[in-house]
Amino acid sequence: MQIFGVDIGGSGIKGAPVDLAAGDLAAERHKVLTPQPSTPDDVAECVRQVVGHFDWHGPVGVTFPGVVTDASTIRTAANVDKQWIGTDAAALLGERLDGIPVTVVNDADAAGVAEMNFGAGMGRRGTVIVLTFGTGIGSAVFTDGVLVSNTELGHLELNGHDAETRASHKAREDGDLSWEHWARRVEKYLCHVEMLFSPELFIVGGGVSRKAEKFLPLITKVRAEIVPARLQNNAGIVGAAMYAAQRRG
């Protein structure tokens, strides 16, 4: 069975059909840049372009970088235009996609569910925290495989700063930080999260997970096991499709 997944990020919007049995993309993903400003109408048009690239007419799952209620209403929008707050995202995107059923979910929750079912979290019990390092820091917290949705741990205050402004991958790029310098910031952040939640496992995702060997070995003060996401930056697409399939029943 295939369902289409779209992952909306602060810098890019990417999507592909997903093979739900394999938990992997069924075709090479298509990506467009996130428009600036990233208003609901402009982002919806980009989603239409990504889905239209594959001439897809079935259900679509879409991730969003912020808190999403069960009714698909957007509650926060840290890394996209604030006009998203209060928007019924499923209704807006469904209208732009000519009535195709659309399911919308928090981006890190989608990535986390994908990793727990098909990636580095398979079979893991206890507390597992998936963190996606990109434009911001997304989080998904699981206890014995059960998700606590919309945690948004990237916005924890750390030394007087919003954590993601110091430890996101965008912060590394914007500050032209060495991997060693950035790893120290990530380590400080992980130690703070560990103090609060005492997880058995951290799964580090987002695009930076492709370069895990450059920074994960430098993180030595965290007691929990730390591993890179197995699905890397495709986890959001896979998770979005999984949510859409679940909504279909």
Side-chain angles (χ1 to χ4, degrees), residues 200-218:
E200 282 74 29
L201 174 67
F202 282 114
I203 300 174
V204 174
V208 74
S209 60
R210 295 192 300 268
K211 302 177 180 178
E213 75 284 354
K214 293 183 179 293
F215 67 96
L216 284 189
L218 303 174

Side-chain angles (χ1 to χ4, degrees), residues 17-243:
V18 174
D19 181 341
L20 292 176
D24 201 359
L25 306 190
E28 184 176 352
R29 72 188 190 189
H30 181 65
K31 180 177 180 179
V32 299
L33 295 178
T34 301
Q36 300 300 327
S38 48
T39 63
D41 281 342
D42 288 342
V43 170
E45 175 58 23
C46 288
V47 171
R48 187 194 67 78
Q49 292 174 18
V50 170
V51 175
H53 177 80
F54 294 89
D55 195 29
W56 183 269
H57 299 286
V60 175
V62 180
T63 75
F64 184 83
V67 172
V68 183
T69 67
D70 287 339
S72 85
T73 300
I74 305 303
R75 295 301 185 199
T76 66
N79 296 302
V80 290
D81 196 280
K82 296 298 186 289
Q83 290 184 45
W84 275 101
I85 297 174
T87 297
D88 183 336
L92 170 67
L93 295 171
E95 180 181 0
R96 191 62 60 93
L97 294 174
D98 298 324
I100 288 176
V102 174
T103 302
V104 181
V105 62
N106 173 269
D107 57 349
D109 286 351
V113 166
E115 281 294 327
M116 293 298 288
N117 282 272
F118 296 107
M122 287 180 62
R124 297 298 296 256
R125 308 297 292 174
T127 300
V128 177
I129 299 181
V130 181
L131 297 169
T132 58
F133 290 82
T135 305
I137 301 176
S139 62
V141 178
F142 297 84
T143 300
D144 290 337
V146 178
L147 171 69
V148 180
S149 60
N150 289 313
T151 48
E152 295 291 290
L153 300 183
H155 300 297
L156 288 171
E157 184 177 322
L158 188 60
N159 295 336
H161 299 278
D162 194 56
E164 70 175 24
T165 66
R166 302 283 292 170
S168 67
H169 190 220
K170 182 177 186 295
R172 187 190 76 82
E173 292 181 327
D174 288 351
D176 196 24
L177 304 179
S178 68
W179 288 105
E180 290 79 8
H181 188 168
W182 185 64
R184 289 197 296 272
R185 292 188 179 188
V186 173
E187 181 176 68
K188 185 176 293 186
Y189 170 67
L190 292 178
C191 286
H192 187 60
V193 175
E194 184 174 56
M195 180 271 294
L196 294 172
F197 293 93
S198 300
E200 282 74 29
L201 174 67
F202 282 114
I203 300 174
V204 174
V208 74
S209 60
R210 295 192 300 268
K211 302 177 180 178
E213 75 284 354
K214 293 183 179 293
F215 67 96
L216 284 189
L218 303 174
I219 297 173
T220 61
K221 296 180 181 179
V222 177
R223 288 175 293 179
E225 182 183 359
I226 310 173
V227 299
R230 193 173 300 166
L231 301 179
Q232 297 183 347
N233 212 23
N234 290 335
I237 296 174
V238 174
M242 292 175 66
Y243 269 94

Side-chain angles (χ1 to χ4, degrees), residues 7-20:
D7 190 10
I8 297 174
S11 60
I13 299 170
K14 51 190 180 291
V18 174
D19 181 341
L20 292 176

